[in-house]
Amino acid sequence: MFDQGPSGGQDTDIIDLDASSPSSELKDIIRQQRAENDSLQKKLQMTKWVINYLEQRNKQLEDEHTLYELRQIREDRELARKRPGDLTSIDRESMLILVNTHLDKLLVNKNRDKDMLRHMKTHYWARMHVCKAKMKILKRRLSKALKRRKKPDPLQILAEASLARHNT
């Protein structure tokens, strides 16, 4: 039979059995290419993962850097707002320690003074009661003396009358 070409007539194809089945060398090459392709696919996936991780980390570092810059700006503003005589935090802390020590000493002195005043109050309270008791005793004696003085003494009356007669 004759080949009539692409027109659609009968074609006689010659099938070569050796040509259609790949040789063992070709199979080895295909296996090597597939293994290499699989390893390249794994490497590609790993590099994609690494790139994704690095992009996220880069974004995180950029955010941290931005926060650091904002903190620096804020600290610079605070330093710029400080007057020349203002204390730093360390100086302020040491000053507070000194002031607290001074106030503790003042408190101890005032407590000692308060105790002394309490003892003085107790002492003078006791003296006041002693003086009140003495005043009561003296008032009694005075009232008794006044009562005795008001009563006429008969001997004194006789003596005065006798002296009056004698004009002395």
Side-chain angles (χ1 to χ4, degrees), residues 4 6-7 15 23 25 46 48 55 62 69 94 97 119 125-126 128 143 146 149 151 155 163-165:
Q4 294 179 0
S7 61
I15 299 174
S23 67
E25 289 177 12
M46 288 171 51
K48 284 181 181 180
E55 286 175 350
E62 286 175 0
E69 287 176 347
S94 63
I97 290 170
H119 292 303
W125 184 83
M128 178 189 70
S143 66
L146 287 175
R149 187 173 173 203
K151 290 182 182 177
L155 291 175
L163 288 174
R165 273 191 233 165

Side-chain angles (χ1 to χ4, degrees), residues 6 14 18 34 36 55 57 75 127 134 140 145 163:
I14 301 173
D18 289 336
R34 281 187 184 157
E36 191 176 323
E55 286 175 350
R57 182 67 179 142
E75 288 175 4
R127 284 192 72 184
K134 285 183 181 179
R140 254 188 261 136
L163 288 174

Side-chain angles (χ1 to χ4, degrees), residues 14 18 42 44 53 74 77 83 89 95 101 103 108 136 153 156-159 165:
I14 301 173
D18 289 336
K42 286 181 184 177
L44 177 66
Y53 171 77
R74 186 178 301 136
R77 281 186 194 161
R83 294 178 295 242
S89 61
M95 182 64 77
T101 306
L103 290 176
V108 167
K136 281 183 181 179
D153 191 14
Q156 190 177 3
I157 293 173
L158 287 174
R165 273 191 233 165

Side-chain angles (χ1 to χ4, degrees), residues 92-105:
R92 194 175 310 122
E93 187 175 332
S94 63
M95 182 64 77
L96 287 175
I97 290 170
L98 290 173
V99 168
N100 281 339
T101 306
H102 177 67
L103 290 176
D104 286 341
K105 287 178 183 177

Side-chain angles (χ1 to χ4, degrees), residues 75-159:
E75 288 175 4
D76 291 343
R77 281 186 194 161
E78 288 176 4
L79 287 175
R81 271 190 271 162
K82 284 181 75 173
R83 294 178 295 242
D86 287 348
L87 299 173
T88 62
S89 61
I90 295 170
D91 293 339
R92 194 175 310 122
E93 187 175 332
S94 63
M95 182 64 77
L96 287 175
I97 290 170
L98 290 173
V99 168
N100 281 339
T101 306
H102 177 67
L103 290 176
D104 286 341
K105 287 178 183 177
L106 288 177
L107 182 65
V108 167
N109 289 340
K110 293 301 176 185
N111 284 338
R112 188 179 63 230
D113 291 346
K114 184 179 81 173
D115 290 341
M116 185 178 6
L117 288 173
R118 185 179 297 128
H119 292 303
M120 287 173 63
K121 180 197 78 120
T122 306
H123 171 74
Y124 285 112
W125 184 83
R127 284 192 72 184
M128 178 189 70
H129 284 286
V130 167
C131 290
K132 280 184 178 180
K134 285 183 181 179
M135 284 174 44
K136 281 183 181 179
I137 292 170
L138 290 174
K139 278 183 183 178
R140 254 188 261 136
R141 285 184 186 167
L142 181 64
S143 66
K144 285 181 183 177
L146 287 175
K147 284 179 186 176
R148 271 187 273 163
R149 187 173 173 203
K150 287 182 183 177
K151 290 182 182 177
D153 191 14
L155 291 175
Q156 190 177 3
I157 293 173
L158 287 174

Side-chain angles (χ1 to χ4, degrees), residues 28-43:
D28 288 341
I29 291 173
I30 290 172
R31 261 191 238 127
Q32 286 175 354
Q33 290 296 324
R34 281 187 184 157
E36 191 176 323
N37 191 14
D38 289 342
S39 71
L40 288 174
Q41 285 289 344
K42 286 181 184 177
K43 286 181 182 180

